[in-house]
Amino acid sequence: MKLHFAISYCLFTLCFFCQNSSRPKEGKSPPSQITLSFEMEESVSGNKLYRIYAQKALLYEDKGEIAVIEPRVYFFTNCQITSYLTAREGKVFTKTSDLVAKGEVVVATEDSIYLFTDSLVWNNSAQKIETDAHILIKNPQAVIEGEGLVSDAELSKITIKSEIEGKSDYEFK
């Protein structure tokens, strides 16, 4: 009798945990849509601002977000690509078209400037890249490290929020 009760209790517990583990977590709703080979373009008055590609995208209509896996974002000025961004994952906010990138984020420009960081935000209305994370900027003439940054997508107008460290071959006259 005790063995029968113990076996029944174990089976009940196992079934209970299996049922609960297959349910979505509290507060996490499933995506409205899942898209493979995702592509989206943001433009204003016919002028391209950016184009995003991702291996996979999950649309959460209720949150107004699109989660993207391995995004590549191309930024445009006057219909020309001026820089691109890669990351492990990101989000697109559908109401503002702001972007968040996380995980091994790299921004590279056409003139060989590279920004490396863990995370950043593209503020679409201000047309600015922002981060509070550690940054490393490399170009053919210099290497600069610091904490936090505000910049345009071309990395031509950069403000670093903290003291910086770096080295350069540039000689002042």
Short mmCIF file of all heavy atoms in Angstrom, two decimals, residues 104-134:
data_model
loop_
_atom_site.label_atom_id
_atom_site.label_comp_id
_atom_site.label_asym_id
_atom_site.label_seq_id
_atom_site.Cartn_x
_atom_site.Cartn_y
_atom_site.Cartn_z
N GLU A 104 27.55 42.01 -28.12
CA GLU A 104 28.60 42.16 -29.13
C GLU A 104 28.19 43.14 -30.23
O GLU A 104 28.25 42.83 -31.41
CB GLU A 104 28.97 40.81 -29.71
CG GLU A 104 29.52 39.85 -28.68
CD GLU A 104 29.81 38.46 -29.23
OE1 GLU A 104 29.86 38.28 -30.47
OE2 GLU A 104 29.99 37.55 -28.41
N VAL A 105 27.83 44.33 -29.83
CA VAL A 105 27.37 45.36 -30.77
C VAL A 105 28.58 45.99 -31.45
O VAL A 105 29.55 46.38 -30.79
CB VAL A 105 26.55 46.45 -30.04
CG1 VAL A 105 26.09 47.52 -31.02
CG2 VAL A 105 25.36 45.84 -29.32
N VAL A 106 28.51 46.08 -32.77
CA VAL A 106 29.54 46.73 -33.56
C VAL A 106 28.86 47.70 -34.52
O VAL A 106 27.91 47.33 -35.20
CB VAL A 106 30.38 45.72 -34.39
CG1 VAL A 106 31.42 46.44 -35.24
CG2 VAL A 106 31.03 44.69 -33.48
N VAL A 107 29.36 48.95 -34.56
CA VAL A 107 28.94 49.92 -35.57
C VAL A 107 30.17 50.22 -36.39
O VAL A 107 31.23 50.54 -35.84
CB VAL A 107 28.38 51.22 -34.93
CG1 VAL A 107 27.98 52.22 -36.02
CG2 VAL A 107 27.20 50.92 -34.02
N ALA A 108 30.05 50.11 -37.70
CA ALA A 108 31.18 50.37 -38.60
C ALA A 108 30.75 51.38 -39.65
O ALA A 108 29.63 51.32 -40.16
CB ALA A 108 31.61 49.07 -39.29
N THR A 109 31.65 52.31 -39.97
CA THR A 109 31.36 53.33 -40.97
C THR A 109 32.08 53.01 -42.27
O THR A 109 33.00 52.19 -42.30
CB THR A 109 31.78 54.73 -40.50
OG1 THR A 109 33.21 54.78 -40.43
CG2 THR A 109 31.18 55.08 -39.15
N GLU A 110 31.69 53.71 -43.31
CA GLU A 110 32.32 53.54 -44.61
C GLU A 110 33.78 53.99 -44.61
O GLU A 110 34.57 53.54 -45.43
CB GLU A 110 31.53 54.31 -45.68
CG GLU A 110 30.14 53.73 -45.92
CD GLU A 110 30.16 52.32 -46.47
OE1 GLU A 110 30.84 52.06 -47.47
OE2 GLU A 110 29.48 51.46 -45.87
N ASP A 111 34.16 54.89 -43.68
CA ASP A 111 35.55 55.35 -43.63
C ASP A 111 36.35 54.70 -42.48
O ASP A 111 37.22 55.31 -41.89
CB ASP A 111 35.64 56.87 -43.58
CG ASP A 111 34.85 57.48 -42.45
OD1 ASP A 111 34.03 56.78 -41.84
OD2 ASP A 111 35.06 58.67 -42.16
N SER A 112 36.03 53.44 -42.18
CA SER A 112 36.80 52.57 -41.28
C SER A 112 36.86 53.01 -39.82
O SER A 112 37.87 52.85 -39.16
CB SER A 112 38.23 52.39 -41.81
OG SER A 112 38.19 51.82 -43.09
N ILE A 113 35.78 53.55 -39.30
CA ILE A 113 35.67 53.80 -37.87
C ILE A 113 34.80 52.68 -37.31
O ILE A 113 33.74 52.36 -37.87
CB ILE A 113 35.03 55.17 -37.57
CG1 ILE A 113 35.88 56.29 -38.16
CG2 ILE A 113 34.86 55.36 -36.06
CD1 ILE A 113 35.21 57.66 -38.09
N TYR A 114 35.25 52.09 -36.21
CA TYR A 114 34.52 50.98 -35.59
C TYR A 114 34.21 51.32 -34.14
O TYR A 114 35.10 51.74 -33.39
CB TYR A 114 35.34 49.68 -35.64
CG TYR A 114 35.56 49.20 -37.05
CD1 TYR A 114 36.67 49.62 -37.78
CD2 TYR A 114 34.66 48.33 -37.64
CE1 TYR A 114 36.87 49.19 -39.08
CE2 TYR A 114 34.85 47.89 -38.94
CZ TYR A 114 35.96 48.32 -39.65
OH TYR A 114 36.15 47.90 -40.94
N LEU A 115 32.97 51.10 -33.73
CA LEU A 115 32.53 51.26 -32.35
C LEU A 115 32.15 49.87 -31.84
O LEU A 115 31.34 49.18 -32.47
CB LEU A 115 31.32 52.20 -32.27
CG LEU A 115 30.53 52.19 -30.97
CD1 LEU A 115 31.37 52.71 -29.80
CD2 LEU A 115 29.26 53.02 -31.12
N PHE A 116 32.72 49.48 -30.69
CA PHE A 116 32.41 48.20 -30.06
C PHE A 116 31.81 48.48 -28.68
O PHE A 116 32.37 49.27 -27.92
CB PHE A 116 33.69 47.36 -29.88
CG PHE A 116 34.40 47.06 -31.16
CD1 PHE A 116 35.41 47.90 -31.62
CD2 PHE A 116 34.09 45.93 -31.91
CE1 PHE A 116 36.09 47.63 -32.80
CE2 PHE A 116 34.76 45.65 -33.10
CZ PHE A 116 35.76 46.51 -33.54
N THR A 117 30.70 47.83 -28.36
CA THR A 117 30.05 47.98 -27.07
C THR A 117 29.14 46.79 -26.81
O THR A 117 28.93 45.97 -27.69
CB THR A 117 29.29 49.34 -26.97
OG1 THR A 117 28.85 49.54 -25.63
CG2 THR A 117 28.12 49.38 -27.92
N ASP A 118 28.59 46.73 -25.59
CA ASP A 118 27.68 45.63 -25.24
C ASP A 118 26.24 45.94 -25.59
O ASP A 118 25.44 45.04 -25.83
CB ASP A 118 27.76 45.31 -23.75
CG ASP A 118 29.07 44.66 -23.37
OD1 ASP A 118 29.68 44.02 -24.23
OD2 ASP A 118 29.49 44.80 -22.21
N SER A 119 25.88 47.23 -25.58
CA SER A 119 24.49 47.60 -25.87
C SER A 119 24.43 49.06 -26.27
O SER A 119 25.28 49.86 -25.88
CB SER A 119 23.60 47.36 -24.64
OG SER A 119 24.03 48.18 -23.57
N LEU A 120 23.42 49.38 -27.06
CA LEU A 120 23.18 50.78 -27.41
C LEU A 120 21.75 50.97 -27.86
O LEU A 120 21.02 50.01 -28.12
CB LEU A 120 24.17 51.29 -28.47
CG LEU A 120 24.22 50.67 -29.86
CD1 LEU A 120 23.06 51.10 -30.74
CD2 LEU A 120 25.51 51.07 -30.53
N VAL A 121 21.36 52.23 -27.94
CA VAL A 121 20.02 52.62 -28.36
C VAL A 121 20.15 53.56 -29.56
O VAL A 121 21.00 54.46 -29.54
CB VAL A 121 19.26 53.34 -27.22
CG1 VAL A 121 17.93 53.89 -27.70
CG2 VAL A 121 19.06 52.41 -26.04
N TRP A 122 19.32 53.36 -30.57
CA TRP A 122 19.19 54.32 -31.66
C TRP A 122 17.93 55.12 -31.38
O TRP A 122 16.82 54.58 -31.38
CB TRP A 122 19.09 53.62 -33.02
CG TRP A 122 18.66 54.53 -34.13
CD1 TRP A 122 17.44 54.55 -34.75
CD2 TRP A 122 19.43 55.56 -34.76
NE1 TRP A 122 17.41 55.52 -35.70
CE2 TRP A 122 18.62 56.15 -35.74
CE3 TRP A 122 20.72 56.04 -34.58
CZ2 TRP A 122 19.06 57.20 -36.54
CZ3 TRP A 122 21.16 57.07 -35.38
CH2 TRP A 122 20.35 57.64 -36.35
N ASN A 123 18.09 56.41 -31.08
CA ASN A 123 16.95 57.30 -30.85
C ASN A 123 16.58 57.87 -32.21
O ASN A 123 17.27 58.74 -32.74
CB ASN A 123 17.35 58.40 -29.86
CG ASN A 123 16.22 59.33 -29.54
OD1 ASN A 123 15.42 59.67 -30.41
ND2 ASN A 123 16.16 59.76 -28.30
N ASN A 124 15.50 57.38 -32.78
CA ASN A 124 15.14 57.72 -34.15
C ASN A 124 14.77 59.19 -34.32
O ASN A 124 15.14 59.81 -35.30
CB ASN A 124 14.01 56.82 -34.63
CG ASN A 124 13.87 56.84 -36.13
OD1 ASN A 124 14.84 56.66 -36.85
ND2 ASN A 124 12.66 57.06 -36.60
N SER A 125 14.05 59.77 -33.36
CA SER A 125 13.64 61.18 -33.52
C SER A 125 14.84 62.12 -33.43
O SER A 125 14.90 63.11 -34.14
CB SER A 125 12.57 61.56 -32.49
OG SER A 125 13.09 61.44 -31.18
N ALA A 126 15.81 61.80 -32.58
CA ALA A 126 17.02 62.64 -32.46
C ALA A 126 18.09 62.25 -33.46
O ALA A 126 19.08 62.97 -33.63
CB ALA A 126 17.58 62.54 -31.05
N GLN A 127 17.93 61.08 -34.10
CA GLN A 127 18.93 60.55 -35.03
C GLN A 127 20.28 60.39 -34.34
O GLN A 127 21.32 60.79 -34.87
CB GLN A 127 19.05 61.45 -36.27
CG GLN A 127 17.76 61.57 -37.08
CD GLN A 127 17.45 60.28 -37.83
OE1 GLN A 127 18.13 59.94 -38.77
NE2 GLN A 127 16.44 59.58 -37.39
N LYS A 128 20.26 59.79 -33.14
CA LYS A 128 21.47 59.62 -32.33
C LYS A 128 21.60 58.20 -31.81
O LYS A 128 20.62 57.55 -31.48
CB LYS A 128 21.46 60.56 -31.11
CG LYS A 128 21.45 62.03 -31.43
CD LYS A 128 22.79 62.50 -31.92
CE LYS A 128 22.76 63.99 -32.19
NZ LYS A 128 23.91 64.45 -32.90
N ILE A 129 22.85 57.76 -31.71
CA ILE A 129 23.21 56.52 -31.04
C ILE A 129 23.59 56.89 -29.61
O ILE A 129 24.34 57.86 -29.41
CB ILE A 129 24.41 55.84 -31.73
CG1 ILE A 129 24.02 55.35 -33.12
CG2 ILE A 129 24.97 54.71 -30.89
CD1 ILE A 129 25.21 54.89 -33.96
N GLU A 130 23.10 56.13 -28.63
CA GLU A 130 23.43 56.41 -27.23
C GLU A 130 23.71 55.12 -26.49
O GLU A 130 23.07 54.10 -26.74
CB GLU A 130 22.27 57.11 -26.53
CG GLU A 130 21.94 58.47 -27.09
CD GLU A 130 20.83 59.17 -26.32
OE1 GLU A 130 20.90 59.19 -25.07
OE2 GLU A 130 19.91 59.66 -26.97
N THR A 131 24.68 55.17 -25.57
CA THR A 131 24.95 54.05 -24.67
C THR A 131 25.59 54.57 -23.40
O THR A 131 26.25 55.62 -23.41
CB THR A 131 25.86 52.98 -25.32
OG1 THR A 131 25.97 51.88 -24.42
CG2 THR A 131 27.24 53.51 -25.65
N ASP A 132 25.39 53.85 -22.31
CA ASP A 132 26.08 54.11 -21.05
C ASP A 132 27.11 53.02 -20.79
O ASP A 132 27.83 53.07 -19.81
CB ASP A 132 25.08 54.17 -19.89
CG ASP A 132 24.21 55.42 -19.95
OD1 ASP A 132 24.69 56.46 -20.43
OD2 ASP A 132 23.04 55.35 -19.51
N ALA A 133 27.20 52.04 -21.67
CA ALA A 133 28.10 50.90 -21.51
C ALA A 133 29.54 51.29 -21.89
O ALA A 133 29.80 52.36 -22.45
CB ALA A 133 27.63 49.75 -22.40
N HIS A 134 30.45 50.38 -21.59
CA HIS A 134 31.86 50.55 -21.99
C HIS A 134 31.94 50.60 -23.51
O HIS A 134 31.26 49.84 -24.20
CB HIS A 134 32.69 49.39 -21.45
CG HIS A 134 34.13 49.49 -21.80
ND1 HIS A 134 35.00 50.32 -21.13
CD2 HIS A 134 34.85 48.90 -22.77
CE1 HIS A 134 36.20 50.22 -21.67
NE2 HIS A 134 36.13 49.36 -22.68
#
